[in-house]
Amino acid sequence: MDKKHANGTASEFAVSKYFAEKGYYIFTSITSSTSPIDLIAINPETNDQLFIDVKTFSCRKTGKQKGTIINRSLSDEQKKAKTQILKHPFN
C-alpha cells in the first residue's frame, strides 16, 4: 500500500474511532475503493444515520496554487445518498 492510501485508511479509522467514542454504531464498506460511502454512523439513541465519505486533509504541493487546501466535492451518487464529506484531521 502506498503512502497516500495508507493515510486514507488511517483517516477512515480515526473518523470511525471518533464516532464510536461518541456512542455511534459504525459500519464500514468492504469495497472501499468502489463504494461512494466509506462508513455509516448510526446514533442508537436517536436513530440518526450519517453516510460519510472520509477525505484526508491535504494541500497542493506544486504549481501556482501551492499550499492551498484541496477541496473535494460529492459525486451525483453521493448527493443522492445524502453523503457527507468529513476531512481528517478535522477542520
Side-chain angles (χ1 to χ4, degrees), residues 26 35 41 46-47 70 72-73 76-77 80 84 88:
I26 307 299
S35 175
T46 64
N47 207 32
I70 299 173
R72 308 292 183 194
S73 59
D76 290 338
E77 189 175 19
K80 191 185 294 184
Q84 300 175 38
H88 182 264

Side-chain angles (χ1 to χ4, degrees), residues 45-57:
E45 295 176 11
T46 64
N47 207 32
D48 287 339
Q49 301 172 7
L50 303 174
F51 300 96
I52 301 169
D53 184 31
V54 178
K55 296 296 181 194
T56 303
F57 183 83

